[in-house]
Amino acid sequence: MSLITEARNGNITEEMKKVAEVEGIEPEFVRRGIESGRIVIPVSPYRYTKPCGIGKGLRTKVNASIGTSSDIVDIDMEIEKARVAEATGADTLMELSTGGDFYDIRKKVIDSTTLSVGSVPLYQAFIEAIRKYGSVVEMKEDDLFKVTAEQAKLGTNFMAIHTGINLFTVERLKKQGRFGGLCSRGGAFMTAWMLHNEKENPLYSEFDYLLEIMKEHEVTLSMGNGMRAGAIHDSTDRAQIQELIMNSELSDTAHEAGVQTIVEGPGHIPLDEIEANVILMKRLSGEKPFYMLGPLVTDIAPGYDHIVAAIGASLSSAYGADFICYVTPAEHLALPNVDDVRQGVITARIAAHIGDMVKNKDRQRDMDMGRARRDLQWEKMYELAIDPKYAKSVRDSRSPDDEEACTMCGNYCALKIVKQNFNFER
């Protein structure tokens, strides 16, 4: 039985118990969340993964995306990226390769991690059409569903499926126009195919068939955001909102059919529109888990977009987003390398924690750090840090004469002076 069926029958599964233990909540809360569609736990019958709960009332989760490109195909590097992402604290992984042997790359990446792994089957289907027929627009509809099933059998836990792009959504885009065009690779592929073939998106027109595949292989459906803005001045426009409406309706259908569902959010949003976007997503989707792609809050910081996205992600999390996709320093510039992945995960985890401090009032770790700093307990500070190894390396690289202080203040450490004159009990 699927997790939704188990939850509807009142059964608490091992996955639900483990998520509850990690989150510090009651298993019944997790069961009710899955039953209502407000929580998902991406699983697979084909491989073991560390259970990861995503949704309302849980800690904000961080996804790390990796994968080859048409220019760089280095499987060993992708495996190392997966391992570094997991070791650095990512909650899930998306394998998004667009170059090389898709099956071999995805299988090796999946075998290298215990994280839930996501994919976008549409990428493979369209690129294989280019290789086989010479053009994206020659993709056969059956090939798209065949690839989806094949990826599911590899042990893929969740899939971004571009169901909300339909003829009506595309018409909104054509009538409106955009500053930054269409930045979603999946959205661009599917829109080109629809316009050339004068056909409806098969993922929309054959949605019931798609759900059969998802349910058979217990894959969590992430409603892809193909119309997301790729430029700040395109945010929250009619094309994006139309797709959200479609995805929200389809997410209800999926949940009723017993398929766990996530709704994806936009990518480039100015600060003053983030709250409105989160409210819209949550209200229209019936509080389903909301996967925010970034968001980037300015377009002028290439090389530092991991910082830009952290600003947006922290606000998104605070307002109610449940799941955020990291952004690396290489965004808009190059395929991320291993160090980019590490920086992206750490930065996104900081953003998620900042959001949880507001959304879930999760401040115990910060309180403990405050005490440790007050009492100059350096080993405790490292233990509480999001990146303990790096924090220690910075201090060790500029070692102070006084081991109790640091080289910022040296002999004039405020905390040491206060410690000599006060005895704080809290």
Side-chain angles (χ1 to χ4, degrees):
M1 289 190 291
S2 70
L3 281 185
I4 289 180
T5 302
E6 293 279 15
R8 286 171 178 165
N9 290 340
N11 300 327
I12 295 175
T13 68
E14 285 303 311
E15 294 90 350
M16 297 176 202
K17 291 177 183 177
K18 288 179 180 177
V19 165
E21 181 181 354
V22 169
E23 300 284 341
I25 56 178
E26 292 298 318
E28 176 62 15
F29 180 88
V30 179
R31 185 200 68 77
R32 290 199 309 267
I34 292 174
E35 181 181 22
S36 68
R38 295 181 178 184
I39 292 175
V40 301
I41 305 175
V43 295
S44 171
Y46 305 109
R47 60 187 281 260
Y48 169 79
T49 54
K50 288 190 278 191
C52 174
I54 303 167
K56 192 173 180 65
L58 308 182
R59 177 177 56 84
T60 304
K61 303 305 187 299
V62 169
N63 174 73
S65 294
I66 64 168
T68 62
S69 72
S70 57
D71 288 317
I72 302 175
V73 180
D74 184 337
I75 299 178
D76 290 338
M77 182 172 72
E78 297 310 319
I79 291 170
E80 183 62 17
K81 286 182 191 178
R83 289 172 175 163
V84 166
E86 182 167 2
T88 311
D91 298 292
T92 65
L93 195 70
M94 288 199 80
E95 202 293 301
L96 305 178
S97 288
T98 56
D101 184 327
F102 296 119
Y103 181 89
D104 187 46
I105 295 166
R106 186 159 290 110
K107 186 175 189 310
K108 286 180 178 177
V109 167
I110 284 175
D111 288 346
S112 72
T113 182
T114 61
L115 297 180
S116 292
V117 176
S119 71
V120 184
L122 180 151
Y123 290 175
Q124 181 177 339
F126 276 116
I127 292 168
E128 287 182 345
I130 296 172
R131 293 174 181 176
K132 188 174 181 179
Y133 308 116
S135 173
V136 165
V137 299
E138 298 300 327
M139 184 203 71
K140 311 305 178 190
E141 294 167 67
D142 285 346
D143 291 340
L144 184 52
F145 295 108
K146 181 182 177 183
V147 165
T148 302
E150 286 175 352
Q151 290 191 6
K153 291 174 185 176
L154 282 176
T156 305
N157 302 81
F158 62 102
M159 292 180 178
I161 306 288
H162 295 74
T163 53
I165 301 173
N166 59 18
L167 294 173
F168 190 69
T169 312
V170 172
E171 187 64 21
R172 301 284 71 68
L173 182 66
K174 287 168 63 179
K175 285 187 174 182
Q176 174 181 276
R178 275 186 167 178
F179 287 88
L182 195 59
C183 76
S184 164
R185 189 160 45 199
F189 280 151
M190 183 55 74
T191 300
W193 185 91
M194 291 166 61
L195 293 174
H196 177 84
N197 293 286
E198 297 182 345
K199 283 186 175 182
E200 184 57 273
N201 174 3
L203 297 171
Y204 175 72
S205 60
E206 302 296 327
F207 188 64
D208 288 343
Y209 179 42
L210 173 68
L211 290 182
E212 289 178 20
I213 297 172
M214 297 286 107
K215 190 167 184 178
E216 179 183 355
H217 303 289
E218 186 69 358
V219 178
T220 297
L221 174 58
S222 188
M223 316 297 289
N225 191 205
M227 289 288 164
R228 69 180 181 273
I232 289 296
H233 287 287
D234 295 327
S235 64
T236 324
D237 65 5
R238 283 172 283 180
Q240 176 199 318
I241 300 305
Q242 179 59 45
E243 184 183 27
L244 171 61
I245 292 170
M246 299 310 307
N247 278 340
S248 295
E249 290 180 356
L250 293 171
S251 71
D252 286 344
T253 303
H255 181 71
E256 288 166 10
V259 175
Q260 296 191 94
T261 311
I262 297 167
V263 177
E264 295 186 9
H268 291 234
I269 317 171
L271 279 176
D272 58 340
E273 292 181 18
I274 290 178
E275 183 178 15
N277 271 266
V278 175
I279 291 171
L280 270 174
M281 292 280 171
K282 283 290 190 176
R283 181 67 62 84
L284 295 183
S285 71
E287 297 279 355
K288 290 185 178 61
F290 174 28
Y291 183 16
M292 180 65 93
L293 309 179
L296 288 104
V297 294
T298 182
D299 292 330
I300 64 167
Y304 301 93
D305 276 337
H306 58 309
I307 298 171
V308 174
I311 295 168
S314 61
L315 278 177
S316 300
S317 171
Y319 289 132
D322 308 290
F323 193 23
I324 61 173
C325 188
Y326 83 163
V327 170
T328 77
E331 185 79 7
H332 297 120
L333 299 172
L335 186 75
N337 60 26
V338 172
D339 189 58
D340 290 327
V341 168
R342 187 192 70 79
Q343 288 191 62
V345 172
I346 290 292
T347 309
R349 286 183 58 209
I350 293 169
H353 176 73
I354 291 169
D356 284 342
M357 290 175 69
V358 177
K359 179 174 65 180
N360 297 335
K361 308 302 179 188
D362 182 8
R363 304 183 184 185
Q364 185 61 51
R365 189 170 173 179
D366 292 82
M367 290 172 63
D368 293 341
M369 178 65 89
R371 292 192 188 98
R373 282 194 175 133
R374 178 196 68 192
D375 297 336
L376 298 171
Q377 297 176 344
W378 291 99
E379 291 303 320
K380 185 66 174 178
M381 285 186 250
Y382 300 146
E383 177 188 326
L384 291 166
I386 277 186
D387 191 349
K389 186 177 179 181
Y390 180 70
K392 187 175 188 306
S393 72
V394 171
R395 176 172 160 78
D396 289 349
S397 70
R398 282 153 267 182
S399 185
D401 291 332
D402 182 349
E403 291 185 3
E404 201 172 24
C406 79
T407 54
M408 177 69 182
C409 294
N411 295 332
Y412 311 111
C413 173
L415 293 172
K416 187 173 180 180
I417 293 169
V418 171
K419 187 179 178 182
Q420 291 169 351
N421 292 279
F422 290 88
N423 181 23
F424 293 107
E425 296 182 358
R426 292 183 65 182

